Amino acid sequence: MRSPEPGDQQTLVGGFQSADGSRWGRPVAGPDHAVHITDDRAGAVYRLTPPGR
């Protein structure tokens, strides 16, 4: 059985890049299969998971 084709690209989280392209946050894949997003300005790390996890 063939795997389904990937869907269209979507922005899950935005607002970490200026108009000039400079960034103050970046996503990192975590060992728990969540996406962790660093926020250099706030000194924080956000954990993004699917609903119900």
Side-chain angles (χ1 to χ4, degrees):
M1 180 175 220
R2 242 179 106 164
S3 298
E5 294 294 318
D8 293 334
Q9 180 177 331
Q10 296 179 17
T11 299
L12 298 175
V13 177
F16 290 95
Q17 180 173 321
S18 297
D20 68 2
S22 62
R23 297 181 177 102
W24 59 88
R26 53 203 56 74
V28 179
D32 57 355
H33 304 286
V35 175
H36 298 262
I37 302 162
T38 63
D39 183 335
D40 301 338
R41 288 192 179 164
V45 177
Y46 305 98
R47 184 171 177 262
L48 181 66
T49 60
R53 288 188 104 194

